[in-house]
Amino acid sequence: MKYSTWIGLITAIAVIAVCFMPWTYHADIDKTFTGFFSEKNSYGKPGKFFLCFAIAYICLSFIQKIWAKRINLFLSAVMVAYAIKSYILFTSCYNAYCPEKKIGIYLLLACNLAMLITAIFPGLKLEQQEDVEGK
């Protein structure tokens, strides 16, 4: 893909922004959870994980080496898995109460999937190596 680096950059920045958006609203305690806040830190701070991995993804996106593209593929796959885990954790019901899902949790999944797709098709131009025998 011709623009995969730029699309990956935009989606990585979007993942960082989504961590600050509301993910779920819990009416029983009247609080909105984000990637950096949950009541008494019961769900942890997955925003820190996404922030670190997105910055690493951005840095490696502009390196035109095959090892950097493979690391980006690994990072984005781990981020998708962690986004699915966070979705299940934040939106699951407890004590017969189900929290209200906000737009941030959906955007988190969508942006991480977009990063994975751009990592699968990196747009790297490989040089052709001549045959050893000189054919």
Side-chain angles (χ1 to χ4, degrees):
M1 291 176 57
K2 187 176 182 181
Y3 299 108
S4 65
T5 302
W6 296 107
I7 294 170
L9 173 71
I10 291 168
T11 55
I13 293 171
V15 165
I16 294 170
V18 164
C19 290
F20 294 97
M21 294 177 67
W23 287 5
T24 55
Y25 174 71
H26 299 258
D28 60 335
I29 58 173
D30 194 31
K31 296 208 177 174
T32 301
F33 290 3
T34 66
F36 293 104
F37 171 77
S38 61
E39 180 68 19
K40 298 179 184 172
N41 206 17
S42 59
Y43 296 152
K45 295 183 180 180
K48 288 182 179 181
F49 173 84
F50 288 116
L51 181 72
C52 294
F53 272 54
I55 289 171
Y57 182 92
I58 290 169
C59 293
L60 291 171
S61 290
F62 293 103
I63 298 174
Q64 292 296 319
K65 300 287 184 185
I66 192 74
W67 60 266
K69 302 308 175 188
R70 289 178 181 165
I71 293 173
N72 261 357
L73 181 60
F74 175 76
L75 289 177
S76 60
V78 170
M79 287 177 72
V80 167
Y82 200 72
I84 292 170
K85 177 251 180 206
S86 296
Y87 176 84
I88 292 170
L89 181 67
F90 274 76
T91 62
S92 61
C93 300
Y94 60 91
N95 295 334
Y97 174 75
C98 295
E100 179 186 344
K101 299 172 187 119
K102 296 289 188 175
I103 190 70
I105 199 77
Y106 296 117
L107 287 175
L108 180 72
L109 289 172
C111 290
N112 278 307
L113 284 173
M115 283 176 62
L116 180 62
I117 291 169
T118 58
I120 291 172
F121 305 108
L124 179 66
K125 295 176 183 160
L126 298 175
E127 297 176 7
Q128 293 290 336
Q129 293 180 352
E130 292 185 28
D131 195 6
V132 177
E133 297 174 13
K135 291 184 180 177

